[in-house]
Amino acid sequence: MSASALKMINPNSDVARRGQALQLNITAAIGLQDVLKSNLGPRGTIKMLVDGAGAIKLTKDGKVLLSEMQIQHPTAAMIAKAATAQDEITGDGTTSIVLLVGELLKQAERYISEGLHPRVITEGYDLAKKEALKFLEEFKTNQTEIDRELLVSVARTSLRTKVHRALADTLTEAVVDAVLAIRHEGEPIDLHMVEIMKMQHRSETESRLIRGLVLDHGARHPDMPKRVKDAFVLTLNVSLEYEKSEINSGFFYSTPEQRDKLVESERKHVDDKVRRLVEFKNEVCSGENANRGFVIINQKGIDPLSLDMLAKNGIFALRRAKRRNMERLQLCCGGIAQNSVDDLTPDVLGYAGNVYEQVLGEDKYTFVEDVQDPYSVTILIKGPNPHTLAQINDAVRDGLRAVKNAVEDQAVVAGGGAFQVALAQHLTQNFKKEVKGRAKMGVQAFADAMMVIPKVLAQNAGFDAQDVVVALQDEQMEGHVVGVDLKTGDTMDPKLEGVWDNYRVHRHMIHSCSVIASNLLLVDEIMRAGRTSLKGPQLGE
């Protein structure tokens, strides 16, 4: 009825009716699932994305794939958006969400084809979701004091699913130490205080953590020292360049002396500021500090004449530093950023044991290292080509988020598909008996869908999914916590092997996948009847 009514209102509309609409949604979800299925887990394969300009991106990160792929189908696009939202909130779990949504719809299709109403299944899904969240609370491992070893396991589990094993192990230590360095007791962790600097240089396994700061520019004067040891660091936000007046004004002079005077008075203002800085340096670097270096890092510009004066006095000066780096510098070296050169005192200075410049081709990098108590650090990513750097950058971002989540949740969940196996068994053995009526089938479908994670992990490692699932279920029956061992295809105890997932990733995943699947199951009509143009047919057409 509604379709014919819609046709009368808009004869150009496309309508997909009940069975057809559901079939479209299920096909789209399963199609997206098939694309991402092979990426799951540390043994997953890599996708190559080529854009219109021919630039290549290699990745197995679900979030990167879903945001970079051009998805035309409205249902698939909706699932992709929900999965990328998961990444923005928790930093992981995108591929798993797509697999779970596809599997929930696939399991529902079995029952719907036998005549069960989608509403009954969604009720079952809703009950199963609530029970799953309760079960997660019992299943998680609480850790009030999270030690470094556990954080290393969490980071390793996350990173090995993004990059190859040797590189993941290199990055794991760097990522954990970075988060522990910037962490303050009782305050939220601000990951912006970890600078990620890329250098296209040598091999990717040379990426490392620098307990200090790396700036992506160098000194702009050839005579400035290239390396300063045991240095005072002054962070400034003062313009040290001649600036034009804001109002359009003209000066008229009649003799050359008057012109010289005019030029001199224009420079005088900037020269006075530089002179004050030089006097301050001489005052601080005297007596027992005579051999110490002096570094100025300025957020605004420094013109060539000022640079020349600073270079003659042995001051290493950098101009136009990023605003975010000014915050990082204070946390890293200590000291207080100054907005004026008047009333400078030694208390406002920071300290760095080693400040040096490294030149790579056309690019210059300045390293500020050997600082005393850094609350801001840099992860230096190295790699031979741009797509390797981009891949490592995405992995590091996710690794940092995984460690941050573990610290803030004070809880972790056994990985390797262990939670899904335990949940499926709990729903089938215990919870299904408590549910009355036909909603039982929805609970059963939810439990079956959960097993897609261990199945796909086993398939991607080259083992037979059925054998692995049977072995897991047998072991689980005996009351053990079991995951998939991707080396042998047998069962393993994730707690002993150090395979840990984030608690909040699982919580979001269960919630999101059941909500999306329920919404898609309840769609009984898809109408393409939007206005293509606000203008009606023109006269004379």
Side-chain angles (χ1 to χ4, degrees):
M1 177 63 207
S2 62
S4 57
L6 190 68
K7 282 283 184 198
M8 281 173 68
I9 299 165
N10 181 354
N12 299 328
S13 64
D14 291 339
V15 182
R17 292 312 307 274
R18 180 166 280 158
Q20 202 183 353
L22 195 57
Q23 202 52 52
L24 273 172
N25 284 345
I26 292 170
T27 314
I30 293 170
L32 197 58
Q33 183 195 33
D34 286 341
V35 172
L36 291 187
K37 193 186 270 187
S38 56
N39 290 25
L40 187 74
R43 295 294 182 94
T45 48
I46 292 179
K47 299 272 188 285
M48 181 194 266
L49 294 167
V50 185
D51 67 10
I56 291 172
K57 198 163 199 179
L58 293 174
T59 184
K60 57 194 277 200
D61 185 349
K63 189 249 174 183
V64 177
L65 273 173
L66 292 172
S67 47
E68 303 267 342
M69 278 193 312
Q70 286 189 334
I71 300 173
Q72 303 270 308
H73 196 290
T75 309
M78 179 180 155
I79 297 170
K81 279 185 188 137
T84 47
Q86 155 93 9
D87 183 89
E88 280 152 26
I89 298 163
T90 63
D92 211 347
T94 27
T95 312
S96 305
I97 276 208
V98 174
L99 294 190
L100 287 170
V101 171
E103 198 63 22
L104 283 167
L105 290 175
K106 196 190 279 183
Q107 295 296 338
E109 188 184 22
R110 281 174 38 209
Y111 292 101
I112 291 167
S113 62
E114 289 167 13
L116 192 65
H117 194 281
R119 171 62 74 188
V120 178
I121 292 181
T122 56
E123 279 170 13
Y125 280 180
D126 199 43
L127 291 168
K129 176 190 80 176
K130 286 177 182 155
E131 184 60 26
L133 291 170
K134 265 191 222 159
F135 181 71
L136 178 62
E137 293 299 321
E138 296 161 23
F139 186 83
K140 69 180 183 185
T141 308
N142 285 312
Q143 295 276 356
T144 40
E145 274 305 308
I146 291 207
D147 57 346
R148 186 172 181 279
E149 198 180 325
L150 183 69
L151 292 177
V152 167
S153 299
V154 170
R156 192 187 299 119
T157 308
S158 173
L159 287 168
R160 279 190 181 172
T161 64
K162 311 276 184 272
V163 287
H164 63 83
R165 194 184 181 108
L167 177 56
D169 293 349
T170 309
L171 295 175
T172 298
E173 303 276 331
V175 161
V176 172
D177 289 339
V179 175
L180 291 176
I182 62 165
R183 176 186 172 195
H184 291 269
E185 276 303 322
E187 284 181 35
I189 296 170
D190 181 8
L191 291 181
H192 288 301
M193 289 304 112
V194 178
E195 166 80 303
I196 297 177
M197 181 59 64
K198 298 178 199 162
M199 274 173 107
Q200 194 168 326
H201 181 50
R202 303 175 75 160
S203 79
E204 62 261 42
T205 45
E206 289 184 32
S207 303
R208 62 192 174 103
L209 173 75
I210 288 172
R211 291 184 180 277
L213 199 62
V214 181
L215 304 159
D216 53 359
H217 50 93
R220 285 272 183 254
H221 194 285
D223 297 342
M224 276 189 178
K226 294 282 177 262
R227 183 181 286 272
V228 182
K229 294 268 185 194
D230 201 17
F232 289 114
V233 179
L234 175 63
T235 38
L236 278 183
N237 183 15
V238 176
S239 174
L240 295 176
E241 57 188 341
Y242 160 63
E243 289 177 7
K244 286 195 168 75
S245 56
E246 285 187 17
I247 11 173
N248 287 331
S249 51
F251 294 101
F252 300 96
Y253 50 85
S254 48
T255 62
E257 289 81 21
Q258 282 177 337
R259 181 186 178 281
D260 292 346
K261 242 187 198 172
L262 208 141
V263 172
E264 207 176 288
S265 60
E266 276 185 337
R267 286 278 334 157
K268 184 175 181 299
H269 183 58
V270 179
D271 289 350
D272 283 350
K273 288 187 197 170
V274 178
R275 207 167 285 117
R276 268 190 221 119
L277 289 170
V278 172
E279 283 165 10
F280 179 55
K281 183 251 176 182
N282 293 335
E283 178 193 321
V284 176
C285 299
S286 58
E288 58 185 36
N289 293 331
N291 296 329
R292 293 181 68 171
F294 196 84
V295 176
I296 292 175
I297 297 177
N298 192 10
Q299 191 179 331
K300 295 208 169 101
I302 307 177
D303 62 16
L305 288 168
S306 305
L307 281 170
D308 197 46
M309 283 170 72
L310 294 169
K312 279 177 183 158
N313 286 281
I315 296 174
F316 180 90
L318 290 177
R319 63 184 184 187
R320 304 202 194 287
K322 288 189 296 199
R323 194 171 68 84
R324 175 107 324 127
N325 277 343
M326 303 308 279
E327 285 176 54
R328 290 184 185 129
L329 266 168
Q330 292 175 66
L331 288 166
C332 171
C333 307
I336 303 157
Q338 297 297 300
N339 292 319
S340 152
V341 291
D342 303 324
D343 311 323
L344 292 173
T345 60
D347 312 346
V348 302
L349 292 170
Y351 169 80
N354 194 4
V355 179
Y356 61 95
E357 192 179 285
Q358 186 175 341
V359 182
L360 269 189
E362 305 248 321
D363 300 324
K364 289 183 176 182
Y365 295 89
T366 305
F367 289 73
V368 181
E369 286 190 46
D370 298 346
V371 290
Q372 282 159 338
D373 187 14
Y375 278 118
S376 174
V377 290
T378 304
I379 293 178
L380 183 65
I381 295 175
K382 291 189 175 185
N385 43 40
H387 62 255
T388 308
L389 290 174
Q391 191 182 356
I392 301 172
N393 186 30
D394 290 332
V396 166
R397 239 193 65 240
D398 288 355
L400 287 169
R401 299 274 281 283
V403 177
K404 171 180 181 267
N405 291 345
V407 171
E408 289 180 351
D409 290 341
Q410 293 192 332
V412 284
V413 176
F419 171 67
Q420 281 80 9
V421 176
L423 175 61
Q425 197 204 16
H426 170 74
L427 290 174
T428 341
Q429 303 286 322
N430 310 336
F431 182 63
K432 198 173 149 192
K433 295 170 188 166
E434 298 169 23
V435 179
K436 300 282 180 282
R438 291 188 300 170
K440 273 184 200 286
M441 295 177 185
V443 175
Q444 183 61 51
F446 193 93
D448 294 342
M450 285 295 129
M451 292 305 288
V452 72
I453 302 286
K455 267 185 206 164
V456 172
L457 282 172
Q459 279 170 357
N460 288 349
F463 302 111
D464 182 76
Q466 274 71 29
D467 290 351
V468 172
V469 167
V470 169
L472 285 171
Q473 286 173 332
D474 289 349
E475 193 85 11
Q476 181 68 40
M477 284 293 211
E478 292 169 21
H480 304 300
V481 172
V482 285
V484 189
D485 185 336
L486 299 182
K487 290 193 199 86
T488 60
D490 297 331
T491 57
M492 59 102 178
D493 184 344
K495 296 183 180 182
L496 292 177
E497 297 287 331
V499 179
W500 295 103
D501 288 339
N502 281 137
Y503 160 70
R504 71 173 62 177
V505 172
H506 276 290
R507 197 184 64 216
H508 266 277
M509 224 153 63
I510 292 168
H511 186 76
S512 304
C513 69
S514 107
V515 169
I516 302 162
S518 300
N519 283 343
L520 293 177
L521 283 174
L522 293 176
V523 171
D524 70 341
E525 204 157 311
I526 299 176
M527 307 171 193
R528 183 174 282 146
R531 293 182 178 187
T532 48
S533 164
L534 292 175
K535 289 179 183 172
Q538 300 295 312
L539 287 172
E541 280 185 2

